Amino acid sequence: MNISIITRILTATFIVGALASAVATASAATPAELLAGYAAQASAPPSPARGREIFTTRHGKEWSCFSCHGAVPTQPGKHAATGKAISALAPAFNVDRFTDALKTEKWFRRNCNDVMGRECTAGEKADVLSWLLTFKP
């Protein structure tokens, strides 16, 4: 293999690695950072009381959040339809929760559609996350 081809392969490998790292860094977050972002988008302070209400209420659909996550989000849950195990939702009881912005958005979008029949607003996400952050070990 000649030097030119090796250089091209190494350059391409470096660029792909740098892009992957940038994407991973861009989506990494803390629960507090995500909460601040949702609150800023909503232009309103989050309310843990409203978050609890959103989590525990059926919104005209068959399920509520606690149908899968359990009434107390400090415990593991189980998907209401598939029975798949779901780890604790409260960040203090599951350090992996709400640490990836893209993953958080994916699950808010899916779960809000299942529970509310629509995507949650930034304010609703902030309210639910603020309530989840009130749980401490």
Side-chain angles (χ1 to χ4, degrees), residues 2-135:
N2 71 32
I3 298 296
S4 177
I5 292 174
I6 292 172
T7 302
R8 286 182 189 168
I9 290 171
L10 289 174
T11 301
T13 303
F14 174 77
I15 290 171
V16 169
L19 288 173
S21 177
V23 168
T25 301
S27 68
T30 66
E33 290 169 341
L34 292 173
L35 175 60
Y38 291 135
Q41 289 175 32
S43 299
S47 165
R50 283 193 309 257
R52 180 184 178 279
E53 181 76 20
I54 290 168
F55 191 87
T56 59
T57 302
R58 286 192 165 87
H59 301 270
K61 304 286 269 181
E62 183 179 346
W63 296 347
S64 67
C65 300
F66 72 78
S67 299
C68 297
H69 293 286
V72 181
T74 60
Q75 303 292 319
K78 185 171 66 172
H79 192 275
T82 66
K84 179 182 174 189
I86 300 172
S87 54
L89 188 58
F93 293 83
N94 182 347
V95 296
D96 294 329
R97 288 287 186 192
F98 303 102
T99 57
D100 182 316
L102 296 175
K103 196 172 183 180
T104 298
E105 274 302 301
K106 171 187 145 185
W107 286 110
F108 263 130
R109 184 176 43 257
R110 283 188 187 178
N111 293 343
C112 290
N113 276 321
D114 286 344
V115 170
M116 303 171 114
R118 62 173 174 78
E119 290 193 30
C120 288
T121 66
E124 290 166 333
K125 295 173 191 175
D127 291 343
V128 170
L129 186 52
S130 71
W131 178 63
L132 292 171
L133 288 170
T134 65
F135 291 92

